[in-house]
Amino acid sequence: MAERQVIVKAEVGLHARPAATFVQTAAKASLDVTIAKGSGQPVNGKSILAVLALDVRQGDSVVIRAEGEGADELLDQLAGIASAP
Amino acid sequence: MNTLTGVGVSPGIGFGPAYVLAVQESLVPAPDARHGGDAGAERDRATRALEQVAADLEERGIRTGGEAREILNAQAMMARDPGLAVEVAVLIDDSGATAARAVYEAFGRYRELLAGAGGYLGERVADLDDVRDRAVAVLEGLRMPGVPDHPDHADHTARPYVLIARDLAPADTATLSRDVVSAFVIEQGGPTSHTAILARAMGVPAVVACPGATSIEPGTPVLVDGSSGLVRPAPSEAEVAEATNAAAARKAVLAAASGPGATSDGHAVPLLANIGGPGDVASALEHGAEGIGLYRTEFLFLDRATAPSGQEQESAYLEVLNAFPGGRVIVRTLDAGADKPLAFLPPRGEEPNPALGERGLRLFKINPEIMNEQLGALARAAAQSSAKLQVMAPMVATAEEAAWFVAACGDAGLPSAGVMIEIPSAALRASDLAAEADFLSIGTNDLAQYTFAADRQLGALTMLQDAWQPALLDLIALAAAGAVGRGKSCGVCGEAAGDPVLACVLVGLGVTSLSMAPPALPAVRAALSRHDREQCVLAAQAARAAISPQEARTAARSHLPGLAGLAL
């Protein structure tokens, strides 16, 4: 399984627009995507409610995982969204 | 049903079928509701209902645009959430719950997670509840909650409806227009509540603080007088005809008045517009504003995660300046604080009385970089335009504060810096403030709030926010005299300036310009043009000699005979 660990830089954390963009991008992929805050329990990366409930704030570290064809490409894209200022 | 009485806050006559917005209590499907067999079909029903809600929210977002669209799209994503769908399916399959009950429970689990986090996430609970209530309504065969934004939704006759509610959030009214709503009748709220201000901006008659309004039977024809505050359910045809004819006659008289504001003996009183952003400029021009007397800049700052850049501010300011070449544009610097919190500038501590806290100019003292960015953007915009830019600060209490702000404006290269008179201390020592500032502008809404210790959002205290209160008139007179003594101007930019009778009194008190919601301009222009300055002064003296707002109104009117021809 491929994974990326990034620090969330956006002032609003992984909420509002960054959260929506992240989930929309994940939902378009056919792969399963999970996201976890720090070493916490991973949740479905295609679920806006689950991602919001993680309550990821600015400066928090998240781990994004996906498996299958195109996983690396997708993870790069999602890591970019999660770490965008 | 008897005539109801409230406070008229947006003049005009409205007539249409009542649309009574129910108190938004969530529908709770019974905990033991079972579907009784076909789990697959029940799952399909749930999926379809959630999709219908999502599509409806998206469609509303497309029609509204802007920030509202983003919020509605985020809600649509909640309705389509795959995690939620799994929970719903499990509840239907394993415990045999109905689709409605399963949806309700599944949302409940996320609701707890978000509510527990508090803060920003806690606020999202309301969005989540709205999505849940919509989905449950669809599944139970009920209408989705909310304000119908098309007349067809009210009674299928496509007539604009009279919107009756206990209270309205600004978001409820985001997609409404005059073609849809003929009048607002609100049980709560005061003359300066959001509904009142919004209604005036839309030019829709409105009555607030009207007890018993929501007991009007939905669909009943209702006649609303936004001047007198009378609400008449099921009026006779004659009543409707009389009211609408009087309104039409008045409209004709108003349309005849044009040109710059002045009394009948030629004493000029510039009539300016209050606006909340470049989007309101068209209405200001349409109603003949000679310039802008209050440009509220909060819209640039509220509801966003980071401060707007200097460049973004500059273009918003320039857009308004360019609409009034050679004219006057008065911009109020950021008026935020604990009562209007900014996401990127949270209050430093708990404020038990936000109206008395670190807001307005006080926020600038703590965060001068925000002020300097705004003043710099204003100066750059002014340099590119022929409009005369004047900048003023809100919540100024002392001459020292005035001097501090004026110096900052000077450093930024701004030609004219003034202060608002909203705090009684500033009115009492207006002469000292006018010695420092280039001009004064009285904000009557806040001045009333602070003078009478009466929260302007509280409908129950409406009497104390009445701009005809003699004590308020005294403070206005004091402020105007303080400015005149220093050879400076003193305008009024509160809602009081938009009352055509009070406008004459304000001129009599020595006020030099009036700024109001654009639709109020024609009536004020007409009232001023029918009286000379002497009459205005006599009316002002009579009003100040009264001991109650009612007496002040009556006393002033007796000196203003020209009002009769205006049906005011």
Side-chain angles (χ1 to χ4, degrees), chain B residues 11 62 72 155 157 163-164 218 227 272 304 335 396 404 410 429 431-432 437 470-471 474 477 508:
Chain B
I62 289 167
L72 294 169
D155 75 341
T157 60
L163 180 58
I164 301 174
S227 307
L272 313 169
R304 55 190 294 163
D335 189 9
V396 177
W404 181 77
R429 301 304 291 257
S431 176
D432 294 343
D474 284 350

Side-chain angles (χ1 to χ4, degrees), chain A residues 1 7 15 21 28 33 43-45 48 54 70 81:
Chain A
M1 179 170 294
I7 304 290
H15 293 140
T21 312
K28 274 189 216 129
V33 179
V43 301
N44 185 352
I48 184 75
L54 281 180
I81 294 165

Side-chain angles (χ1 to χ4, degrees), chain A residues 11-12 15-17 19-24 27 44-57, chain B residues 70 73-74 77-84 107 110 113-114 117-118 120-121 124 128 305-307 343-344:
Chain A
E11 207 165 336
V12 291
H15 293 140
R17 195 181 299 175
T21 312
F22 183 94
V23 171
Q24 275 162 346
N44 185 352
K46 301 180 181 191
S47 162
I48 184 75
L49 292 170
V51 171
L52 286 180
L54 281 180
D55 196 12
V56 176
R57 312 270 176 101
Chain B
E70 244 174 73
N73 280 347
M77 286 175 74
M78 291 179 179
R80 291 201 181 106
D81 194 285
L84 181 86
F107 270 109
Y110 287 103
L113 282 174
L114 299 189
Y120 170 86
L121 283 184
R124 299 283 74 73
L128 190 66
T306 52
F344 54 91

Side-chain angles (χ1 to χ4, degrees), chain B residues 165-447:
Chain B
R166 196 161 72 174
D167 201 3
L168 278 179
D172 284 337
T173 44
T175 55
L176 297 178
S177 73
R178 284 165 77 158
D179 306 328
V180 177
V181 179
S182 62
F184 291 101
V185 180
I186 308 297
E187 284 193 344
Q188 300 180 341
T192 58
S193 62
H194 285 299
T195 305
I197 290 170
L198 200 91
R200 279 191 291 267
M202 286 164 66
V204 172
V207 172
V208 301
C210 184
T214 55
S215 56
I216 292 175
E217 198 63 31
T220 310
V222 180
L223 183 64
V224 180
D225 184 339
S227 307
S228 68
L230 294 179
V231 176
R232 180 96 184 95
S236 69
E237 271 181 42
E239 281 175 294
V240 176
E242 191 191 337
T244 43
N245 287 346
R250 183 165 166 253
K251 213 171 159 187
V253 173
L254 297 186
S258 64
T263 55
S264 60
D265 55 335
H267 170 66
V269 182
L271 299 180
L272 313 169
N274 294 349
I275 62 167
D280 298 334
V281 165
S283 173
L285 290 169
E286 182 197 333
H287 292 97
E290 294 164 54
I292 299 298
L294 172 62
Y295 178 3
R296 304 182 180 97
T297 53
E298 289 78 70
F299 81 99
L300 279 165
F301 295 84
L302 295 173
D303 298 324
R304 55 190 294 163
T306 52
S309 69
Q311 201 171 8
E312 181 184 346
Q313 292 189 49
E314 183 183 326
S315 60
Y317 303 146
L318 188 58
E319 201 177 334
V320 173
L321 289 170
N322 283 342
F324 293 92
R328 174 182 352 187
V329 174
I330 304 179
V331 176
R332 180 178 73 189
T333 54
L334 178 62
D335 189 9
D339 59 333
K340 285 181 255 180
L342 298 175
F344 54 91
L345 217 59
R348 292 197 292 181
E350 186 81 2
E351 288 194 0
N353 289 310
L356 306 181
E358 291 183 321
R359 48 169 291 205
L361 185 67
R362 300 164 183 184
L363 200 67
F364 274 177
K365 288 194 133 175
I366 311 163
N367 304 281
E369 71 286 355
I370 303 257
M371 172 178 74
N372 292 332
E373 179 97 67
Q374 184 170 33
L375 297 182
L378 283 163
R380 289 194 301 278
Q384 299 164 58
S385 161
S386 69
K388 296 186 198 94
L389 173 68
Q390 300 186 282
V391 178
M392 64 182 181
M395 284 297 280
V396 177
T398 64
E400 279 175 316
E401 287 178 351
W404 181 77
F405 179 72
V406 171
C409 287
D411 290 346
L414 288 162
S416 174
V419 295
M420 289 199 69
I421 304 291
E422 301 168 289
I423 304 177
S425 64
L428 291 166
R429 301 304 291 257
S431 176
D432 294 343
L433 273 72
E436 305 293 345
D438 295 315
F439 65 98
L440 306 183
S441 180
I442 305 173
T444 45
N445 305 343
D446 269 331
L447 186 57

